[in-house]
Amino acid sequence: MNSWLRLSTIKVPSRSYSLLPSGAQAYIGGKWVASESGNSFDVLNPYDNQVVDRVSNCTVKDAEKAVQSAVEGFDKWAYSYTAKQRGIILHKWFEILLQRETELATLLTKEQGKPLGEARGEIQYSAAYFDWYAGEARRVYGQVVPSAVHNRLHLHTREPIGVVALISPWNFPTAMIARKAAAALSVGCSAVVKPAEDTPLSALALAQTAEEAGIPAGVFNVIPADRANTAEISKFLCESEDVSAISFTGSTPVGKLLLAQSASTVKRVCLELGGNAPLIVFDDVDLDIAVNGTMATKFRCSGQTCVSANRIFVHEKIHDQYVSKLAAAMKEKLVLGNGMDPKTTQGPLVNQKAVDKCELLLSDALGKGAELICGGKHGKHGSSYEPTLITNVQSNTNIANTEIFGPIAPIQKFREDEEVLQAANRCRVGLAGYIFGRDPSRLHKFSRRLEVGMVGVNEGLISCAEAAFGGVKESGIGREGGAQGVDEFTNWKYICTQY
C-alpha cells in the first residue's frame, strides 16, 4: 500500500493519478486503465513476502490495445515533433527522475529488494540515459553519397523503425526500461513496455513521470502481467505485424524463444541475454584494486546482474592473499538485511527459487572438493541468502559452468596465461569480462582476446549511458547505450533524386 504511486499526488493536465481499489492500473494511450479481464495480481516484497501492491493483470487484448495506441502515437511523435523537441521532452524526463529519486528508489527497493542506496544509484543511472539520448536525438545523422553520374543526388537517411516492444527484467526494473526507451523515443519510435511480473510498479512509475515530462499519449505504454499471461503477451508482440522491433533483456533461453517467435514477421530483435563473466586476477595485480573490483561486480544487486563475475580465476602466486583480503572485505562491508535499513548492503534474492538454485550449486561444488570460506546459508528473512566465498572450485562443477545469479564467489586457481584465457573463453555466452593486473601488454592482449562484448580493466563497474552495452555468442544481439544504442531503432533509407 505504501508504493510511490500511492503516495504520489502528482497533478497532470487531465486528472490526479489514481489507482483501482484492487491495484495499480495499466498505462495505455495516455490513460490509466484496468485490464480487460478485471483481474489483478500481488507484487511482493522479497525480504518479507508482504504485499506491496496489487497490479492489473493484462492479457493479449490489452496488449492489442497498447500496440494500436503506439501505432497512433508513433505517427505524431516521429513526424510532428522535431528531434530538438523530442530531446527537450526527454531532458525534462531526466530532470523529473532526479527530482523524484527518493520516492522512485523507495518503490524500487520495496518490490525488488535491493538496498536503498543501490536503488538510488539505479534511478540516477536510469536518468542518465534520458539525459544522454536527449542530446543524441539531434545527432542521428544521415549521409550525402557522391553520385557516379551528373544531375543525381543520393541521400542516406535514418528513419525511426516504428513501434517497439520493450520486455524488461526484474533485477533493474527502472534502468533496463530507461536504457531502451530513451534510445527508442529519441529517434521517434513509440513503445509498448512489458515489465517483469515481479517488479511492475517501477515501470508504472516511469509511465507517470513520462506523462509529467510531456510524452504524448500512445508513445509510452505499460502493460503489467503475471507469469502466466506474460508468455502469451510476449508471443503476440513478437508475431504482431504492427510491432517493428523487439528489445528484450533476460535469460538466454527466453531470448532464443522470442527470436524464434519474431521470425514470422522478420522484425528487428535486440537481445541482451545471460552472461557468465570471467574475472581474472594476475600475479602482478594491486590486490586492493582487485578486491574492490570483485566486490563491486560480484555483490551488486546480491549477485543478480548479467555482468556479475561468476568465474573468478586467481593466479596461484597471489591466490591465498587475494582470498584472505576478499573474505575480510566481505565480512566488513556486506550486511544482509532489509533493503530499507540504511545499514543493509545486501538485499534478498528475488524469490525462493533463486535461493534453491544457489543452494544446489553450492552443494554440488562442495561435494566435488570446493572449500567453504564464509557464508553459504539461507538468511533469516524471505529469500535472503548469505554472501558466500568458496575456493578450490573444479572446472567440472555446475557452478563453474552456470550463470549463478546469486551472491556466491567461486575461486579457481591458474598458473599460465594461455591456460586461463582458454578457460575464460570456454563458454557459450560472452557478455562481460574483467581483468586485473599491471602489465599493459598482457592487459591489452586479454582485453582483445576475451570473447565478450565488454571488458573491465582494473574496474568492476563498467556500464554507463555513454558506452555501448551488449554481448557476443549467446549473450545477445545488438547494443544498448552510447551512440550505438539508436541503431536498433532506426532503418537506413536510400533516396535517389534526379534534378
Side-chain angles (χ1 to χ4, degrees):
M1 294 295 184
N2 294 324
S3 75
W4 176 77
L5 291 167
R6 286 197 183 280
L7 293 174
S8 175
T9 57
I10 293 173
K11 300 290 183 179
V12 295
S14 60
R15 49 147 185 80
S16 296
Y17 181 75
S18 62
L19 297 177
L20 293 173
S22 60
Q25 295 171 307
Y27 186 74
I28 300 173
K31 298 179 181 179
W32 299 96
V33 297
S35 66
E36 280 280 330
S37 67
N39 296 329
S40 59
F41 64 99
D42 291 338
V43 179
L44 303 180
N45 184 326
Y47 179 74
D48 55 18
N49 291 321
Q50 296 299 303
V51 176
V52 178
D53 211 332
R54 291 186 62 81
V55 177
S56 284
N57 193 9
C58 290
T59 65
V60 170
K61 289 186 177 181
D62 300 299
E64 291 172 348
K65 289 183 178 180
V67 169
Q68 183 56 42
S69 294
V71 169
E72 296 168 2
F74 170 73
D75 284 339
K76 182 177 181 180
W77 183 243
Y79 303 116
S80 297
Y81 284 75
T82 66
K84 180 178 180 179
Q85 290 170 328
R86 291 196 297 268
I88 289 171
I89 294 174
L90 290 179
H91 195 268
K92 178 64 175 176
W93 202 350
F94 153 75
E95 292 175 336
I96 291 169
L97 291 186
L98 293 186
Q99 293 165 3
R100 296 287 185 178
E101 177 188 311
T102 298
E103 296 156 295
L104 290 165
T106 298
L107 172 60
L108 198 161
T109 291
K110 287 183 176 180
E111 68 171 347
Q112 200 277 340
K114 68 178 58 177
L116 187 59
E118 281 194 24
R120 286 181 177 275
E122 179 172 340
I123 300 305
Q124 295 167 12
Y125 175 74
S126 304
Y129 282 96
F130 291 109
D131 182 38
W132 171 256
Y133 284 109
E136 286 298 286
R138 301 171 69 180
R139 293 191 285 270
V140 183
Y141 302 131
Q143 298 172 335
V144 178
V145 183
S147 173
V149 298
H150 293 297
N151 303 323
R152 289 208 340 180
L153 175 65
H154 294 176
L155 298 178
H156 288 163
T157 63
R158 299 181 73 173
E159 305 291 343
I161 198 168
V163 175
V164 300
L166 312 179
I167 305 175
S168 61
W170 51 262
N171 55 345
F172 291 92
T174 300
M176 295 302 94
I177 299 173
R179 189 162 71 191
K180 300 172 188 297
L185 269 61
S186 73
V187 297
C189 296
S190 58
V192 175
V193 179
K194 169 56 193 72
E197 63 272 12
D198 295 300
T199 55
L201 298 175
S202 291
L204 295 171
L206 264 183
Q208 183 164 324
T209 55
E211 190 173 85
E212 274 199 286
I215 299 294
V219 174
F220 188 81
N221 306 272
V222 180
I223 47 172
D226 66 9
R227 187 177 297 273
N229 287 354
T230 290
E232 294 182 357
I233 289 175
S234 298
K235 186 174 186 291
F236 161 73
L237 294 172
C238 290
E239 295 179 350
S240 171
E241 294 181 359
D242 290 322
V243 175
S244 299
I246 298 287
S247 181
F248 168 73
T249 297
S251 72
T252 296
V254 173
K256 290 179 178 180
L257 176 62
L258 297 180
L259 185 61
Q261 290 175 342
S262 298
S264 63
T265 52
V266 197
K267 59 169 52 76
R268 183 81 54 80
V269 179
C270 178
L271 302 174
E272 194 266 281
L273 306 178
N276 196 5
L279 186 151
I280 302 171
V281 183
F282 296 112
D283 57 352
D284 62 346
V285 72
D286 181 317
L287 281 172
D288 290 333
I289 291 176
V291 168
N292 289 337
T294 304
M295 292 285 288
T297 181
K298 176 67 254 184
F299 296 107
R300 182 169 60 111
C301 197
S302 299
Q304 300 173 114
T305 82
C306 54
V307 293
S308 177
N310 279 332
R311 298 173 295 144
I312 304 175
F313 302 97
V314 182
H315 196 280
E316 61 182 13
K317 288 183 179 179
I318 47 91
H319 173 272
D320 293 350
Q321 294 170 274
Y322 171 86
V323 169
S324 178
K325 280 181 171 288
L326 182 58
M330 291 171 62
K331 182 177 181 180
E332 177 187 356
K333 298 178 180 179
L334 301 182
V335 179
L336 184 62
N338 187 337
M340 294 302 298
D341 186 335
K343 297 179 182 178
T344 296
T345 60
Q346 289 285 281
L349 301 186
V350 66
N351 51 39
Q352 184 59 40
K353 184 178 179 180
V355 174
D356 294 342
K357 179 181 178 181
C358 285
E359 291 181 333
L360 286 172
L361 289 173
L362 181 62
S363 175
D364 175 75
L366 296 178
K368 294 176 181 176
E371 179 183 352
L372 179 65
I373 303 300
C374 61
K377 296 179 181 179
H378 193 308
K380 297 179 180 179
H381 299 277
S383 53
S384 299
Y385 193 80
E386 293 181 348
T388 301
L389 176 61
I390 57 176
T391 60
N392 196 37
V393 174
Q394 304 302 306
S395 61
N396 65 338
T397 57
N398 291 334
I399 205 167
N401 298 281
T402 304
E403 185 178 26
I404 302 168
F405 243 65
I408 304 177
I411 312 297
Q412 302 180 55
K413 284 184 183 180
F414 76 92
R415 178 177 298 172
E416 303 294 338
D417 284 4
E418 194 61 31
E419 165 200 353
V420 74
L421 181 61
Q422 291 180 12
N425 288 337
R426 196 179 299 123
C427 187
R428 276 303 306 156
V429 293
L431 189 58
Y434 307 90
I435 50 178
F436 291 86
R438 287 192 174 96
D439 182 349
S441 177
R442 178 161 57 186
L443 293 175
H444 177 71
K445 170 188 173 182
F446 271 75
S447 65
R448 294 297 305 276
R449 292 185 61 187
L450 279 177
E451 295 172 1
V452 296
M454 301 172 287
V455 179
V457 181
N458 291 320
E459 176 58 70
L461 295 177
I462 59 177
S463 181
C464 62
E466 298 81 5
F469 190 103
V472 299
K473 300 180 183 178
E474 294 181 22
S475 282
I477 302 170
R479 292 295 182 269
E480 297 179 352
Q484 295 83 355
V486 300
D487 293 346
E488 311 307 322
F489 305 113
T490 58
N491 284 324
W492 282 101
K493 178 181 285 185
Y494 164 48
I495 302 173
C496 176
T497 303
Q498 184 173 347
Y499 59 90

